[in-house]
Amino acid sequence: MTAVPQISLNNGQSIPQLGFGVFQIEKADTVTAVTTALQTGYRHIDTAQGYGNEEEVGEAVAKSGLDRADVFVTSKLDNSAHLPDDARLAFDASLAAMGFDYLDLFLIHWPLPDRYDGDFVSTWKVLEELYREGRARSIGVSNFQPHHLRRLHEESEITPAVNQIEVHPYLTQDEVRAFCSEHGIAIEAWSPIGQGLELEDPVIGSIAQRAGKTPAQVILRWHIQRGDIIFPKSVTTARIKENFDIFGFELSDSDVAEISALNKNQRTGPDPDTFTGGV
Ligand code: NAD
């Protein structure tokens, strides 16, 4: 079976560079999709309280016959639970739903500058406690801009292990990636294939043809060679396998540069500086 590279985090833990994301996978489809992913060889699952499928992720891991220690599981704090007491209760509820006694990684999902008086620092301090208690083996953030990270740096003790942000060829996020690299924060790239946006791009198409790979594989490989952590989502068995099969070829430096040059700062999701987390 293909060996997925491990990325070392700033606290000494390691994380498989390729995982499986379950955003927008219906509850009823989650056990089957995660089971297929685990059978394919994925050992890293990315979920969130807001995805409504944590229980099914836990069920699939339990049924897989794999040791809990062999699967890296991430979840994220719901946008409605930033107040410290709520955050702690929400974390406990995640563990209970999944049937776990720890999470490998727990993230603040969005900074929410216009809610809770913009006080994500108090929320972060709860994650620091969960980390010290050993119930979250690593802690991090998602959708944080450099100015949010700078504030955490100044007002709290633990540097986030990761920042999970939207990254794909049309949104290369050079500024946030450079800031995180300088501060030892690993980048997790969400919507790695832009939810399908770039699959028809002619530059991607011609590189794929030359490499004898699919456009999705070329884009995923581009992320791997840039050093980011990814977890593409699919419920289709053939695509789950296709997305895992990205370690038997390499893009040249000029292919990587050509794909990076497609950047047009085009988001598929909300802007973290204005997103209020919905209702
Ligand atoms: P993605 O870039 O993984 O794209 C998923 C879409 O592409 C699906 O519609 C799927 O049908 C299609 N697809 C997948 N593989 C394909 C293939 N080989 N060929 C053709 N089409 C294919 O987008 P995503 O699901 O938004 O992101 C991946 C994961 O990132 C999520 O599941 C979630 O875990 C995470 N995420 C996090 C945040 C956040 O705010 N932190 C936001 C969005 C997503």
Side-chain angles (χ1 to χ4, degrees):
M1 194 179 283
T2 321
V4 173
Q6 300 277 325
I7 300 281
S8 291
L9 302 176
N10 61 17
N11 61 357
Q13 302 279 342
S14 54
I15 179 171
Q17 195 180 4
L18 174 67
F20 182 68
V22 298
F23 177 44
Q24 291 174 330
I25 301 187
E26 299 291 333
K27 264 177 113 55
D29 299 329
T30 304
V31 174
T32 304
V34 173
T35 300
T36 303
L38 293 172
Q39 285 170 349
T40 302
Y42 292 81
R43 293 291 180 269
H44 165 189
I45 311 294
D46 184 87
T47 186
Q49 293 170 351
Y51 300 171
N53 53 20
E54 287 179 310
E55 191 179 339
E56 289 73 18
V57 168
E59 187 183 331
V61 172
K63 283 186 173 158
S64 69
L66 293 163
D67 284 343
R68 168 72 186 88
D70 291 336
V71 186
F72 190 105
V73 182
T74 300
S75 193
K76 318 183 192 85
L77 182 68
D78 196 75
N79 292 326
S80 66
H82 273 215
L83 293 178
D85 288 349
D86 294 346
R88 185 168 269 285
L89 286 172
F91 179 81
D92 291 345
S94 278
L95 287 188
M98 289 193 255
F100 296 160
D101 53 12
Y102 69 91
L103 275 177
D104 295 280
L105 178 61
F106 192 58
L107 310 179
I108 296 183
H109 206 151
W110 288 90
L112 306 179
D114 294 327
R115 279 174 81 178
Y116 309 104
D117 299 324
D119 181 16
F120 50 76
V121 177
S122 300
T123 315
W124 179 249
K125 289 185 177 171
V126 175
L127 270 67
E128 291 186 332
E129 286 169 23
L130 297 170
Y131 177 71
R132 290 196 185 97
E133 291 162 10
R135 296 198 303 147
R137 299 265 166 102
S138 297
I139 51 173
V141 294
S142 178
N143 301 302
F144 273 44
Q145 304 280 42
H147 66 95
H148 301 124
L149 292 166
R150 239 179 251 118
R151 195 169 149 206
L152 278 190
H153 184 67
E154 282 159 14
E155 298 179 35
S156 63
E157 287 175 30
I158 300 176
T159 302
V162 309
N163 186 17
Q164 182 177 130
I165 54 172
E166 181 179 351
V167 189
H168 40 84
Y170 291 170
L171 181 71
T172 53
Q173 295 268 30
D174 301 336
E175 194 198 335
V176 188
R177 288 177 81 258
F179 182 94
C180 288
S181 159
E182 206 178 297
H183 290 83
I185 302 170
I187 292 288
E188 297 193 322
W190 65 254
S191 289
I193 56 172
Q195 297 202 330
L197 188 69
E198 285 104 331
L199 295 175
E200 303 297 324
D201 186 281
V203 169
I204 306 281
S206 77
I207 294 173
Q209 205 168 19
R210 217 179 323 125
K213 295 288 164 186
T214 67
Q217 288 172 320
V218 164
I219 296 173
L220 295 173
R221 182 74 209 172
W222 170 78
H223 286 283
I224 294 290
Q225 289 186 213
R226 278 161 46 105
D228 290 354
I229 299 157
I230 49 172
F231 23 80
K233 169 258 174 183
S234 177
V235 289
T236 310
T237 300
R239 286 176 173 174
I240 293 173
K241 292 187 170 160
E242 176 186 330
N243 295 346
F244 192 75
D245 182 19
I246 55 171
F247 299 103
F249 75 108
E250 263 195 59
L251 299 172
S252 66
D253 291 348
S254 71
D255 289 338
V256 171
E258 215 183 329
I259 297 171
S260 302
L262 295 174
N263 179 46
K264 42 185 159 174
N265 297 325
Q266 183 177 340
R267 292 184 185 278
T268 65
D271 183 333
D273 278 320
T274 53
F275 185 56
T276 58
V279 286

